[in-house]
Amino acid sequence: MATLAADDSPAAFSSPERAAILAMLEEFTDALAIYHNTLKKPTKHDNDIPVDDTSCLDASSSREIEDAKERAASVKVYENSLYIRRIMEELKEEIRDRGTFEVVTREIETILAGEKEEEALLTEQKRLGEAAAELQRIIEEESLANEKERRRLLMELAEEQRSVEKLKLIADAEVKYVGEWERARYEQISLRCDMEIKKFEKILNDCRVRERNEERVHDALANFLIQETTTLEGTRKEWEERYAREKEVYEKEIRQLRIEIEARRKELDDLKEEYHRNQEFIDAYLKEKETVRMAKEVQERMEKSAIKIEAWWRGVMVRRKLGPYRPVEKKKKRQSKTKK
């Protein structure tokens, strides 16, 4: 059957093969019918009971759970027998008509697809279960965190209320204290103002007395200054006349001194000219004297050099026996010739 399911277009059976296969299928169908008749037909209540999920039942009633499982198994077996009978009938009709097993192939493919879909659903169910568990855990953690935060906020609110009440009491006490302090301060300032007023009245009286005294002093000073001004005016005129007289005298003396200075300046210019002439004569004399001295020194150096040269040359002549320092040659005696 697996080979037939794998082929896309299986070959049809021959007539003898069809007859043999149909005979075998008839036997299987009869046996299945007998088995099906032995099964108990499920009621509507049995069909409503879930087969795979028993979480809705009471965990304490184990007997009811077992009965539910048995009823579910009976329903499953009954439905499977009906399903197999239907497949067998369709297979027999197909073999009679076409001689193939396409019904079986389609059912196998349907079963495989259902198994894959069921596996995918189980995987998705598992993933969703894990996600639900994670969400449940997160919700529980957030609930705990929210509960802690709520308690903390309630505690802070209570603390703030106590702080507000405390601040209110402090503010009332401060207002009362400030009122008393301001009242005492007002009385103290009033006393201080009265004392200051008395002090300023005394100062005002002193100022008035001082003003009267200063007015008298001012009058006396004004009279004194008038007298002094009159006296100084007369003295000023005398000094102006004296200034004019002394100015004329000093101007005459200045003119006389200027004349003397001019005469002395001319004498000084003459002396300067004479000094320059004498200085030029002295400079010329000194220059000529220096020239004579230098010529004399040159002459002396020339004489000394000539003496040195003469002495050197005399030494050379003596050493080399030149000139008058040449030695006198002695005459040699002739040797007498001997006779042979």
Side-chain angles (χ1 to χ4, degrees):
M1 293 177 66
T3 305
L4 293 174
D7 295 334
D8 294 336
S9 59
F13 294 103
S14 61
S15 297
E17 291 176 347
R18 292 181 185 181
I21 292 170
L22 286 172
M24 293 175 64
L25 291 175
E26 287 293 341
E27 292 178 1
F28 293 152
T29 303
D30 294 338
L32 184 60
I34 294 169
Y35 175 73
H36 182 71
N37 291 327
T38 60
L39 296 175
K40 181 181 178 181
K41 185 177 181 180
T43 61
K44 185 178 180 181
H45 178 69
D46 294 336
N47 292 329
D48 293 337
I49 297 174
V51 177
D52 295 329
D53 189 6
T54 59
S55 60
C56 62
L57 299 178
D58 190 6
S60 63
S61 303
S62 60
R63 182 62 182 171
E64 293 180 0
I65 293 172
E66 293 296 331
D67 293 340
K69 288 182 178 180
E70 290 179 0
R71 288 196 299 273
S74 299
V75 171
K76 185 69 175 176
V77 171
Y78 186 81
E79 290 178 352
N80 289 337
S81 64
L82 291 176
Y83 171 72
I84 293 171
R85 285 183 64 184
R86 182 178 61 79
I87 295 299
M88 294 295 288
E89 293 295 333
E90 291 178 358
L91 181 59
K92 287 190 293 182
E93 291 179 0
E94 184 180 359
I95 290 173
R96 290 192 194 97
D97 296 338
R98 295 189 297 273
T100 59
F101 288 114
E102 291 182 0
V103 174
V104 178
T105 303
R106 287 196 301 271
E107 289 299 327
I108 291 171
E109 292 176 354
T110 303
I111 291 169
L112 292 175
E115 289 179 354
K116 290 181 180 179
E117 185 177 356
E118 184 178 358
E119 184 178 358
L121 290 174
L122 290 174
T123 304
E124 183 67 18
Q125 182 181 3
K126 183 178 180 181
R127 187 183 64 79
L128 292 175
E130 292 176 354
E134 183 67 20
L135 289 174
Q136 184 66 26
R137 184 182 62 79
I138 293 171
I139 290 169
E140 291 177 356
E141 291 178 355
E142 290 182 353
S143 298
L144 293 174
N146 292 332
E147 183 65 22
K148 290 181 180 179
E149 184 67 17
R150 187 179 66 82
R151 291 178 181 177
R152 186 182 65 80
L153 292 175
L154 289 174
M155 292 176 66
E156 289 182 357
L157 180 60
E159 185 67 24
E160 290 295 331
Q161 289 178 352
R162 288 194 296 271
S163 299
V164 169
E165 292 177 357
K166 183 178 179 181
L167 291 173
K168 186 177 180 181
L169 293 174
I170 293 171
D172 294 338
E174 288 179 352
V175 169
K176 184 177 179 181
Y177 172 76
V178 169
E180 295 295 332
W181 182 77
E182 288 292 336
R183 191 178 298 107
R185 182 168 173 269
Y186 173 74
E187 293 177 357
Q188 185 179 6
I189 291 172
S190 298
L191 293 174
R192 189 180 299 169
C193 289
D194 294 337
M195 294 173 65
E196 290 292 330
I197 289 170
K198 291 179 180 179
K199 183 176 72 173
F200 286 133
E201 288 178 352
K202 183 179 179 182
I203 292 171
L204 181 61
N205 294 328
D206 294 339
C207 290
R208 288 173 180 173
V209 173
R210 192 182 302 113
E211 183 180 3
R212 288 194 295 270
N213 294 331
E214 287 180 355
E215 287 178 355
R216 287 196 294 270
V217 171
H218 174 71
D219 294 337
L221 288 174
N223 295 327
F224 173 75
L225 290 174
I226 291 170
Q227 293 176 1
E228 286 294 321
T229 303
T230 305
T231 304
L232 291 173
E233 186 68 24
T235 306
R236 183 182 65 80
K237 291 180 180 180
E238 292 178 358
W239 279 102
E240 286 179 353
E241 293 175 357
R242 182 179 175 181
Y243 170 75
R245 291 194 303 271
E246 290 181 356
K247 182 180 179 182
E248 292 178 357
V249 174
Y250 289 142
E251 286 179 353
K252 290 179 181 179
E253 291 179 357
I254 289 169
R255 285 194 295 272
Q256 185 66 30
L257 289 173
R258 285 178 178 174
I259 293 169
E260 292 179 359
I261 289 169
E262 189 67 25
R264 296 290 179 86
R265 187 174 293 166
K266 288 181 180 180
E267 292 177 0
L268 181 61
D269 292 337
D270 295 338
L271 291 173
K272 283 182 179 180
E273 290 178 359
E274 185 177 358
Y275 169 76
H276 288 309
R277 288 194 299 272
N278 294 333
Q279 186 66 35
E280 289 176 357
F281 175 76
I282 291 169
D283 292 339
Y285 171 74
L286 292 175
K287 186 176 181 181
E288 184 178 357
K289 185 178 180 180
E290 183 68 18
T291 303
V292 171
R293 185 185 64 78
M294 291 177 66
K296 186 177 180 181
E297 288 180 355
V298 170
Q299 184 66 29
E300 289 177 355
R301 283 198 297 271
M302 290 175 66
E303 290 177 357
K304 289 179 180 179
S305 298
I307 292 169
K308 288 180 180 180
I309 292 169
E310 185 178 357
W312 172 76
W313 179 246
R314 186 181 295 112
V316 171
M317 292 177 70
V318 170
R319 286 192 298 275
R320 296 188 179 184
K321 298 178 181 181
L322 299 174
Y325 302 101
R326 180 180 298 175
V328 179
E329 294 181 358
K330 294 180 180 182
K331 294 181 179 181
K332 295 181 180 181
K333 293 180 179 182
R334 293 182 179 180
Q335 294 179 358
S336 60
K337 295 181 180 180
T338 58
K339 293 181 180 181
K340 293 181 180 180

